Amino acid sequence: MPVLDDLDRALLSLLLANARSPLSKVARRLGVARTTLSERLERLERSGIIRGYSVDLDLGKLGYRYTAFVLVKVRRVSLRGEKSNQELLAEKIISDCRARKDLPWVEEAHIITGDYDILLKVRVRDMEELASFLIRYMPEHADVVQTHTILVLKTVGEDRRPPLLESEGG
């Protein structure tokens, strides 16, 4: 794991607040040369700490009015190659939802511990889309044993900006 110093953390913090800030402005704010920041940025990208730059969208204004978490219990079978049955099913669901207009957007899929095997974060335009996904689409998969759906009433916090540690290991 790459070691981050104070300048790295400050740079990442400012980029998390606004990734479109001109590097010259960020350099002035941090009191360092633009070339120094440019080199740091390249190192952070090469190391994989920065995987990309994105836009924070208002999903409701794009038509995704509802969020649901769907817990999926999967029939246990032996590994198929290097991936578990759970991973393969999660990948299939994501792929299908990207390819088909009649399915919702699966924003996240996680293999989890506990009574269920997969946790899906699903964004839907309306309740009919969610109902169709749960009643028509999910039963198409023979390995799906059971689902449990939790509908989000209100999102209180959804911060995708992790707190940057003051010092490594602390």
Side-chain angles (χ1 to χ4, degrees):
M1 186 165 138
V3 176
L4 299 180
D5 64 14
D6 289 340
L7 181 57
D8 292 329
R9 283 189 289 281
L11 173 59
L12 290 172
S13 182
L14 289 173
L15 289 175
L16 284 169
N18 183 0
R20 292 188 64 187
S21 292
L23 209 49
S24 56
K25 182 178 177 182
V26 175
R28 275 193 308 274
R29 185 149 179 212
L30 296 176
V32 297
R34 185 185 182 287
T35 55
T36 300
L37 275 193
S38 181
E39 291 168 1
R40 292 295 181 108
L41 200 53
E42 287 177 25
R43 183 177 55 84
L44 292 167
E45 290 170 350
R46 275 194 317 273
S47 71
I49 290 174
I50 296 177
R51 295 188 302 183
Y53 301 87
S54 62
V55 175
D56 187 13
L57 301 173
D58 182 330
L59 299 175
K61 290 180 180 177
L62 292 174
Y64 294 99
R65 296 175 44 214
Y66 303 101
T67 302
F69 290 93
V70 179
L71 293 158
V72 183
K73 190 176 289 190
V74 180
R75 184 169 48 99
R76 302 289 173 125
V77 297
S78 57
L79 283 179
R80 298 177 187 171
E82 293 186 19
K83 294 186 178 180
S84 68
N85 196 37
Q86 294 84 352
E87 288 175 278
L88 293 171
L89 178 60
E91 289 174 354
K92 171 78 170 128
I93 292 169
I94 291 169
S95 174
D96 287 352
C97 287
R98 284 184 181 153
R100 292 175 46 184
K101 298 238 185 260
D102 63 318
L103 294 176
W105 169 33
V106 175
E107 183 178 359
E108 299 175 11
H110 306 274
I111 308 304
I112 60 172
T113 62
D115 292 336
Y116 291 87
D117 302 293
I118 300 171
L119 172 65
L120 303 173
K121 183 177 183 182
V122 180
R123 303 283 189 161
V124 297
R125 293 170 189 86
D126 55 43
M127 285 297 119
E128 181 58 38
E129 187 175 46
L130 180 60
S132 178
F133 177 71
L134 296 170
I135 296 168
R136 292 184 184 92
Y137 172 76
M138 291 301 284
E140 291 176 7
H141 302 283
D143 291 336
V144 172
V145 174
Q146 180 181 359
T147 63
H148 180 83
T149 303
I150 302 162
L151 188 62
V152 174
L153 299 175
K154 184 174 188 166
T155 299
V156 176
E158 194 172 46
D159 189 359
R160 295 192 178 124
R161 298 173 299 161
L164 297 173
L165 302 176
E166 290 298 317
S167 62
E168 291 298 314

